[in-house]
């Protein structure tokens, strides 16, 4: 038995922090879905398992539902899908869409009833509500017919997050239920859970396309191969994501630090598929002021999305050129005051000082 | 820069060349009457040092002497930076300019033409003024130092002079680019904020405002999308609830159906048992009825036989009582007749009783009449006596003549008049009183009474008379006394008149003595009182009636009494004893009544007895009849009851059999009732209840389904709108705009902070620079005008703006000062500024006829100030009042008139 395990596509996902770039991010998630099918085809899997949260919400645009069904339907073999806590099986859900009925190879499993899959039996654990404290795998019977037994569930393995025990799944759920493999969904990072003998029989595939900055080990699907009942599964993560989410945080202390930041940005590959979050703190040199604008321009022009946080950046008090380059008298006094006594908002004071320097630079001497 | 001399020719009034100078470093006074050319000289000085030699225009044309076509010329020698210079200029015709510098004791050409103009101007200011010498802002530092006539006030100085002043004050003066930078900052600020510091609105609003508007719209759109999303969620939950409800209702219906089926089966069995029970119950009822009927008949036969026997006995008894009752009736009738006769006889005694009563009544009336008669006679007698007494009193009164009160009053008045007249007579008489020491006589020659009068020693003797009294004491003296001529005759006439009147009034009374008259009057009153008393007594007796009425009444009583005596003549001798007669009448009446009542009672009793006995007889007859009928009836009834020919024993046997059948039926009925009692609730009722429940469950299920269908349709409509996706887009839009707003706010706040900071720094710098000027000018003003005006405050460009008097510590504008005070204030400020400007090089101050409004006292103090200032400045004063300045010790005076001459 060879199958592709994926989940948490979160189609229609909100990316409020990305502003107008959110639409691009959402589109990429659909494209990543197509790459999942491509991966499935290229790895010659028997079937697909989608372990919940195919959609971000049951109220997504119905066109998206059709698109997803079309994507899944483009796979030659069966696709088994369970609802997750983002798209639970409730009235008005995405699962009511007529498209599902027309996709003959896509099976949305609504009941806790075993299903024959190529090479074995699948025990699905569909989700019917957004939150629950029930172990979704508890219904799985421990006895089978001797064939390969796999399960598909959506929830939180105990110990992953203490503050969100939605659909708690014991760490040894696969073992308890006598499953050869338990395909998990809910968390967006790839992770496996091994039995005491070191064999992983449970895994999160993670989301097929990264959803936010700092999300480690995401953007993958899993190719799982089980040779026979009781045999340890071979789990192979395959990257399907295209977008890179790069967070850069620097504390500037010396002359040239800012330039190096810009150089680093310029060195990033594939900026057209990269989102960048740059956060600078520390000291700004007067002659590097123009670099800030440059960086801002690079971020705005090359990348899918760029955020440039300089709120914690301050004019370097040791760099007297902030002051000496300014005309004597009131202007210089004002500059010193802005630098040395920023008042309630040092960010505004720093910005004011930079404005002043910009104006002085503009005025012909 | 100090000047040494000035030479002018062909300049307005100066046709001939004149030279004024050499001027000392300190104070120089150029004086001349009005119109001599002082101001013209000043003008020439200015044009020489500040104007271009090629300048044209009406202003320049005006310096040409009137009616002449001459080219005005001016030459000024001056010292600058320790160097001596000479500038000579010719205007209008063949204009030229030549600047020379003294080198090695000789003036050598330094510059000519425009270059000479420029170099000369640069001496007075770093930034030479532009064209337009007519405007003082173009004079450079001369704006401060040189004061044309009537222009002592300082308006805003040009920026370069201000910069010069500031730089000379070593303040934080701006460099050449400060002004433009500040201006640019201000422009940036005003792009966003209004002059009052508020964010601009309307068409001039900055991008931030538009961003905020868009953000607001986006937030509204987000709210709308959110509401739609929430509606979707609610609809989904609602559908779920309805589905659950429908499922539950369906389940309830199914369960109810199952229960109903079971209940129906049970009810069927129950019905069968009930039918069987009913059958057995009927049998029991029939057996019971038969038993009762038999029992009833047997009992009836027995009782009828018994009753019949008793009825026969009764009939016999009644038949024997009949004759006895007849006899009793007869006896009672006899008794009643006897008492009736007695009653009639008793009633005949009434007539005698009536008569006795009549007599007693007449006797009483006769006695009453007699009493009345006696009473009235007594009253009549009293009345007659009273009338007689009254007549006597009246008679006495009529005899006694006395004055009444009014007459007495008149008499008193007349007596008073008389006495008054007498008093006046006495008063008007002259009285001569002689008190001899020894006995003698006096002859009254003239007086009231004339003749001799004896004199007794020690005894006063008076002689009266009018208008004089003359008395002679023989051989001693002739005494004469006289007085004012009085009206004694008038008084005597009055006295006589009063006497006459008195006599008239009192003659009827026989006396004119007042006391007597009063006694008589008193007596008269007493008599009047007795008359009144007698009259009162009479009236009391009459009591409102007349004597005739009393007499009439007495006659009536007499007539009545006589009528009684006709019937009872013995009463005339002896009055009847009404009590005895009353008693007799009463006794007779009582006896009569008693007899009658007794008779009546006895008769009533007899009649009652008769009636009772008659009734009893009637009753006895009736009972006899009834008894006969009863006997007959009972016999017939008994015959009927036994018509079937059965004997009593046979009937009782039959009864026994019937009883046993009945008991058997009851036992079987109880058996089946026991089976029925095992069913708790009535199964049929249970079936009906369950049927109703099933119907309700079906209805609920249908309703839930209908609602579910409706809500599903609504949910479908909502989900078709993709509310989450719409919400996502609006939220992203809002986030995007919020970011932009934040960015823009940061920029705007930075601009505001920058502007405020620069403004604050500028204000502080100005304050630092202007303070020394304010301090110096204030001190100078206080020396001149005292402390009243307080502290001078200058503006940014050093023009005096306000004063702050010590008394109020509030700024006061200069238009509140008097003309003289304003002069002094402006002079003090110019001198303070001149000191600043003269720090590096001694400067020339020119004052053309200033302080015209300053009084003599203050002017003297101004002189002191000028003398001191002259230690640091070259001061040139143009005036038509040289005498004002004569007090200056070290001043040099130039009489222009003399110089011209």
């Amino acid at each position: 038995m060879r199958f592709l395990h994926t989940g948490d596509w979160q189609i229609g996902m909100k990316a409020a922090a990305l502003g107008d770039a959110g639409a691009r991010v959402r589109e990429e998630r659909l494209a990543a879905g197509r790459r999942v099918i491509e991966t499935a085809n290229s790895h010659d899997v028997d079937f697909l398992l989608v372990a919940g949260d195919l959609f971000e919400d049951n109220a997504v645009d119905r066109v998206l539902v059709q698109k997803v069904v079309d994507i899944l339907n483009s796979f030659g073999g069966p696709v088994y899908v369970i609802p997750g806590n983002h798209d639970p099986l409730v009235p008005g859900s995405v699962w009511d869409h007529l498209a599902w009925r027309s996709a003959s190879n896509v099976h949305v499993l609504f009941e806790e009833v075993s299903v024959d899959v190529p090479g074995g039996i699948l025990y699905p654990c569909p989700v019917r509500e957004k939150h629950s404290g029930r172990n979704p795998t508890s219904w799985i019977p421990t006895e089978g017919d001797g064939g390969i037994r796999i399960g598909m569930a959506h929830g939180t393995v105990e110990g992953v997050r203490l503050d969100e025990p939605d659909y708690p799944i014991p760490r040894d759920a696969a073992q308890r239920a006598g499953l050869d493999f338990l395909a998990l969904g809910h968390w967006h990072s790839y992770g496996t859970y091994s039995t005491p003998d070191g064999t992983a029989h449970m895994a999160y595939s993670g989301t097929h396309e990264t959803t936010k900055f700092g999300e480690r080990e995401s953007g993958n699907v899993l190719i799982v191969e089980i040779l026979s009942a009781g045999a340890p599964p071979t789990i192979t993560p395959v990257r399907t994501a295209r977008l890179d989410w790069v967070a850069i945080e620097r504390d500037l202390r010396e002359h040239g630090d800012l330039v190096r930041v810009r150089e680093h940005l310029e060195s990033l590959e594939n900026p057209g598929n990269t989102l960048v979050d740059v956060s600078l703190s520390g000291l700004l040199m007067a002659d590097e002021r123009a670099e800030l604008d440059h960086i801002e321009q690079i971020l705005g022009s090359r990348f899918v999305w760029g955020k440039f946080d300089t709120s914690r950046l301050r004019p370097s008090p040791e760099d007297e050129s902030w002051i000496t380059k300014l005309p004597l008298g009131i202007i210089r006094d004002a500059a010193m005051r802005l630098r040395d006594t920023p008042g309630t908002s040092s960010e505004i004071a720093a910005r004011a000082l930079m404005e002043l320097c910009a104006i002085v630079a503009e005025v012909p001497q | 820069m100090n000047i040494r001399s000035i030479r002018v020719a062909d300049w307005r009034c100066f046709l001939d060349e004149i030279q004024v100078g050499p001027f000392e470093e300190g104070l120089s006074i150029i004086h001349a009457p009005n119109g001599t050319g002082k101001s013209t000289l000043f003008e020439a000085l200015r044009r020489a040092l500040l104007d271009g030699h090629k300048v044209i225009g009406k202003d320049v044309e005006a310096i040409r002497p009137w009616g002449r076509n001459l080219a005005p010329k001016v030459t000024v020698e001056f010292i600058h930076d320790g160097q001596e210079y000479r500038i000579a200029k010719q205007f209008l015709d063949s204009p030229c300019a030549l600047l020379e510098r003294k080198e090695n004791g000789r003036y050598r050409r330094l510059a000519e033409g425009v270059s000479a103009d420029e170099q000369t101007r640069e001496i007075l200011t770093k930034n030479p003024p532009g064209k337009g010498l007519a405007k003082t802002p173009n004079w450079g530092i001369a704006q401060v130092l040189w004061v044309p006539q009537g222009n002592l006030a300082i308006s805003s100085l040009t920026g370069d002079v201000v910069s010069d002043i500031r730089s000379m004050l070593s303040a934080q003066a701006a460099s050449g680019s400060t002004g433009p930078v500040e201006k640019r900052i201000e422009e940036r600020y005003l792009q966003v904020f209004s002059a009052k510091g508020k964010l601009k609105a309307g068409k001039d609003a900055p991008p931030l405002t538009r961003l905020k508007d868009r953000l607001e719209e986006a937030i509204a759109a987000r709210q709308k999308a959110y509401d739609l999303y929430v509606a979707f969620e609610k609809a989904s939950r609602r559908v779920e609830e309805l589905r659950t409800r429908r499922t539950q209702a369906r389940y309830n219906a199914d369960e109810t159906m199952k229960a109903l089926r079971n209940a129906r089966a049970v009810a069927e069995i129950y019905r069968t048992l009930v039918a069987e029970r009913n059958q057995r119950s009927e049998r029991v009822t029939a057996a019971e009825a038969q038993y009762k009927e038999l029992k009833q008949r047997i009992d009836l036969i027995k009782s009828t036989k018994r009753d019949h026997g008793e009825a026969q006995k009764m009939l016999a008894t009644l038949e024997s009582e009949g004759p006895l009752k007849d006899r009793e009736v007869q006896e009672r009738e006899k008794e009643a007749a006897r008492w009736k006769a007695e009653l009639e006889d008793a009633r005949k005694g009434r007539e005698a009783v009536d008569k006795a009563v009549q007599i007693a009544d007449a006797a009483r009336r006769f006695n009453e009449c007699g009493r009345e008669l006696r009473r009235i006679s007594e009253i009549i007698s009293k009345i007659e006596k009273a009338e007689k007494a009254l007549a006597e009193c009246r008679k006495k009164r009529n005899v006694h003549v006395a004055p009444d009160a009014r007459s007495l009053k008149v008499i008193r008045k007349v007596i008073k008049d008389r006495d008054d007249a007498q008093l006046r007579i006495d008063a008007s008489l002259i009285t001569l009183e002689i008190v001899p020491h020894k006995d003698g006589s006096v002859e009254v020659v003239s007086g009231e009474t004339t003749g001799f009068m004896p004199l007794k020693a020690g005894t006063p003797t008076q002689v009266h008379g009018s208008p004089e009294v003359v008395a002679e004491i023989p051989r001693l003296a002739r005494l004469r006394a006289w007085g004012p001529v009085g009206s004694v005759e008038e008084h005597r006439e009055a006295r006589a008149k009063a006497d006459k009147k008195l006599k008239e009034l009192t003659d009827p009374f026989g006396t004119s003595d007042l006391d007597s008259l009063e006694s008589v009057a008193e007596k008269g009153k007493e008599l009047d009182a007795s008359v009144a008393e007698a009259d009162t007594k009479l009236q009391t007796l009459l009591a409102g009636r007349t004597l005739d009425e009393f007499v009439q009444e007495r006659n009536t009583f007499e007539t009545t009494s006589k009528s009684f005596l006709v019937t009872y003549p013995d009463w005339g001798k002896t009055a009847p004893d009404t009590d005895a007669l009353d008693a007799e009448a009463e006794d007779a009446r009582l006896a009569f009544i008693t007899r009658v009542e007794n008779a009546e009672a006895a008769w009533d009793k007899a009649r009652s007895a008769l009636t009772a006995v008659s009734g009893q007889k009637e009753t006895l007859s009736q009972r006899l009849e009834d008894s006969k009928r009863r006997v007959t009836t009972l016999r017939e009834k008994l015959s009927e009851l036994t018509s079937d020919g059965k004997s009593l024993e046979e009937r009782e046997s039959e009864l026994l059999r019937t009883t046993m059948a009945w008991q058997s039926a009851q036992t079987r009925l109880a058996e089946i009732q026991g089976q029925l009692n095992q069913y708790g609730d009535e199964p049929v009722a249970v079936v009906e209840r369950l049927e109703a429940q099933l119907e309700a469950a079906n209805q609920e299920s249908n309703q839930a389904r209908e609602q579910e269908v409706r809500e599903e349709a609504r949910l479908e409509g909502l989900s078709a709108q993709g509310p989450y996706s719409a919400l996502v887009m609006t939220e992203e839009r809002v986030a995007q705009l919020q970011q932009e707003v934040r960015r823009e706010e940061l920029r705007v706040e930075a601009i505001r902070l920058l502007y405020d900071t620069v403004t604050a720094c500028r204000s502080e710098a100005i304050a630092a620079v202007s303070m020394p000027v304010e301090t110096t000018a204030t001190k100078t003003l206080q020396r001149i005008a005292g402390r009243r005006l307080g502290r001078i405050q200058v503006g940014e460009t050093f023009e005096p703006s306000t004063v702050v008097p010590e008394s109020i510590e509030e700024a006061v504008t200069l238009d509140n000062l008097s003309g003289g005070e304003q002069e002094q204030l402006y002079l003090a400020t110019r001198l303070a500024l001149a000191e600043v400007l003269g720090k590096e090089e001694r400067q020339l101050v020119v004052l053309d006829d200033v302080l015209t409004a300053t009084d003599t006292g203050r002017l003297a103090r101004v002189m002191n100030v000028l003398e001191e200032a002259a230690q640091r400045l070259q001061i040139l004063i143009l005036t038509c009042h040289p005498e004002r300045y004569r007090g200056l010790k070290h001043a040099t005076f130039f009489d222009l008139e003399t110089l011209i001459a």
Side-chain angles (χ1 to χ4, degrees), chain B residues 364-596:
Chain B
R364 187 169 49 256
R365 283 190 290 127
F366 175 78
N367 287 339
E368 283 175 4
C369 182
R371 280 196 295 275
E372 286 297 314
L373 188 60
R374 285 191 293 279
R375 184 182 65 80
I376 288 172
S377 297
E378 194 176 328
I379 289 171
I380 290 171
S381 171
K382 284 182 181 175
I383 289 170
E384 287 170 346
K385 281 181 188 170
E387 281 182 343
K388 192 174 173 187
L390 178 62
E392 285 176 9
C393 286
R394 280 184 175 151
K395 187 177 173 185
K396 281 182 185 172
R397 181 68 185 86
N398 290 337
V399 167
H400 181 77
V401 180
D404 58 15
R406 193 173 73 80
S407 301
L408 202 55
K409 187 175 173 184
V410 172
I411 290 169
R412 285 199 190 98
K413 185 175 179 315
V414 168
I415 290 174
K416 186 174 178 302
D417 290 341
R418 183 198 63 182
D419 291 342
D420 287 343
Q422 184 58 50
L423 281 171
R424 281 194 280 278
I425 290 168
D426 289 342
S428 63
L429 285 175
I430 295 168
T431 303
L432 179 66
E433 187 175 270
I434 302 170
V435 182
H437 295 298
K438 58 185 181 183
D439 293 344
S441 65
V442 58
E443 184 186 356
V444 179
V445 176
S446 172
E448 285 285 298
T449 40
T450 56
F452 280 93
M453 290 174 71
L455 296 173
K456 197 164 171 142
T459 303
T461 302
Q462 293 180 347
V463 179
H464 306 287
S466 179
E468 65 177 3
V469 170
V470 178
E472 278 194 15
I473 299 175
R475 293 183 300 281
L476 183 62
R478 185 182 172 89
L479 305 171
R480 180 169 173 260
W482 67 96
V485 177
S487 57
V488 64
E489 289 303 323
E490 289 175 8
H491 301 321
R492 284 192 179 118
E493 279 176 18
R495 165 70 194 266
K497 190 175 170 186
D499 284 338
K500 184 180 175 187
K501 179 87 174 163
L502 182 64
K503 188 174 177 342
E504 285 173 9
L505 290 171
T506 56
D507 270 351
F509 308 115
T511 176
S512 61
D513 179 52
L514 182 61
D515 291 339
S516 301
L517 285 169
E518 285 176 348
S519 294
V520 168
E522 189 64 35
K523 182 75 185 291
K525 282 182 188 172
E526 287 171 5
L527 288 172
D528 285 337
S530 64
V531 165
E533 187 182 341
D535 187 47
T536 300
K537 276 185 185 169
L538 176 61
Q539 295 305 320
T540 301
L541 287 169
L542 287 172
R545 298 169 68 185
T546 61
L547 179 61
D548 288 340
E549 286 173 355
F550 282 106
V551 169
Q552 183 87 18
E553 191 177 348
R554 183 178 62 184
N555 293 339
T556 303
F557 279 116
E558 282 175 351
T559 305
T560 304
S561 178
K562 281 176 184 167
S563 69
F564 279 114
L565 288 173
V566 169
T567 310
Y568 306 98
D570 291 339
W571 288 358
K573 296 175 188 166
T574 311
D577 185 351
T578 52
D579 292 336
L581 288 172
D582 282 336
E584 273 180 32
E586 185 64 22
D587 289 343
R589 191 179 67 84
L590 286 172
F592 164 75
I593 288 169
T594 300
R595 190 180 168 199
V596 166

Side-chain angles (χ1 to χ4, degrees), chain A residues 84-328:
Chain A
N85 68 310
H86 273 259
D87 50 9
L89 184 62
V90 294
S93 67
V94 291
W95 314 111
D96 289 344
H97 201 291
L98 292 172
W100 299 107
R101 292 176 214 173
S102 57
S104 57
N105 66 318
V106 180
H107 307 281
V108 183
L109 305 174
F110 298 135
E111 306 290 336
E112 288 173 345
V113 172
S114 64
V115 172
D116 289 332
V117 296
I121 297 179
L122 170 67
Y123 295 91
C125 307
V127 166
R128 291 178 176 276
E129 47 191 336
K130 270 200 164 134
H131 305 286
S132 174
R134 188 180 79 89
N135 172 11
T137 64
S138 59
W139 77 274
I140 301 175
T142 53
E143 299 295 325
D145 61 357
I148 296 173
R149 287 155 52 84
I150 60 174
M152 179 164 60
H154 190 92
T156 302
V157 173
E158 286 166 350
V160 170
R161 282 278 290 273
L162 294 178
D163 59 342
E164 197 179 317
D166 256 339
Y167 292 99
I169 298 173
R171 290 184 85 90
D172 59 352
Q175 196 179 6
R176 280 193 204 185
L179 298 173
D180 293 298
F181 182 77
L182 179 57
L184 296 173
H186 191 52
W187 291 103
H188 293 183
S189 299
Y190 162 58
T192 57
Y193 298 89
S194 302
T195 49
D197 63 1
T199 312
H201 287 276
M202 281 166 55
Y204 282 105
S205 65
T207 180
H208 69 320
E209 178 69 64
T210 303
T211 59
K212 60 185 179 185
F213 287 102
E215 195 172 71
R216 59 164 192 83
E217 303 272 15
S218 64
N220 305 300
V221 297
L222 301 181
I223 303 296
V224 181
E225 193 165 1
I226 306 172
L227 294 176
S228 62
T234 307
I235 304 170
T236 309
V238 175
R239 185 156 181 82
T240 51
R242 182 156 64 186
L243 294 178
D244 286 322
W245 298 63
V246 177
I248 300 173
E249 196 170 327
R250 295 282 187 274
D251 185 39
L252 307 182
R253 290 287 154 192
E254 292 177 357
H255 201 280
D257 281 348
L258 187 59
V259 172
R260 283 187 278 280
V261 169
R262 192 248 307 153
E263 287 169 351
H264 175 61
L265 273 175
E266 287 176 327
S267 71
L268 289 175
E269 289 177 5
N270 204 14
N273 288 328
T274 305
L275 298 89
V276 184
D277 183 350
V278 180
S279 178
L280 300 182
S281 60
L283 305 176
L284 177 67
M285 305 302 164
D287 59 354
E288 288 184 332
R289 195 175 42 76
E291 278 292 341
L292 289 178
D293 293 335
H294 192 189
I295 291 172
E296 193 143 15
Q297 286 153 15
I298 293 171
L299 286 172
S301 62
R302 293 186 198 175
F303 295 93
V304 172
W305 177 84
K307 182 179 163 194
F308 193 29
D309 180 7
T310 59
S311 61
R312 291 170 299 145
L313 205 56
R314 301 285 168 267
S316 172
E318 291 170 1
D319 182 359
E320 283 303 316
S321 61
W322 278 108
I323 307 301
T324 54
K325 283 190 178 167
L326 298 173
L328 281 169

Side-chain angles (χ1 to χ4, degrees), chain B residues 773-797:
Chain B
V773 173
E774 287 178 352
T775 305
T776 305
T778 300
K779 277 186 190 164
T780 304
L781 180 63
Q782 285 178 356
R783 285 180 62 189
I784 298 169
R787 299 182 73 88
R788 190 185 80 86
L789 296 177
R791 183 164 46 88
I792 298 174
Q793 286 184 328
V794 300
E796 278 190 27
T797 55

